[in-house]
Amino acid sequence: MTKGTLLRNNRLLGALALTVLIAALVASHFSGGIHMNVGEVHLSVQSHEQGGLVLSFVSLR
């Protein structure tokens, strides 16, 4: 097994993606909604009327 850079380490990339997702969920819970474009994917998180959050991913191909 060879050593890779930080950007090629799958565990670090997974942790970074999970951190961004959790930050988006927390921000949308407090602000009412958030929309982000990550590469070719559109992430949308909105508050639901009956409580909870609605999370959607859309590919922009």
Side-chain angles (χ1 to χ4, degrees):
M1 186 151 107
T2 62
K3 290 184 178 180
T5 62
L6 290 177
L7 292 177
R8 294 185 184 194
N9 191 337
N10 289 336
R11 289 182 181 163
L12 288 177
L13 285 175
L16 178 63
L18 189 59
T19 303
V20 169
L21 180 61
I22 290 171
L25 291 174
V26 169
S28 67
H29 179 70
F30 290 117
S31 69
I34 193 167
H35 305 282
M36 294 188 310
N37 288 327
V38 181
E40 294 183 357
V41 177
H42 179 76
L43 169 66
S44 175
V45 183
Q46 299 175 348
S47 295
H48 194 269
E49 298 136 5
Q50 299 175 350
L53 296 171
V54 177
L55 174 68
S56 63
F57 292 97
V58 178
S59 178
L60 301 173
R61 293 185 185 188

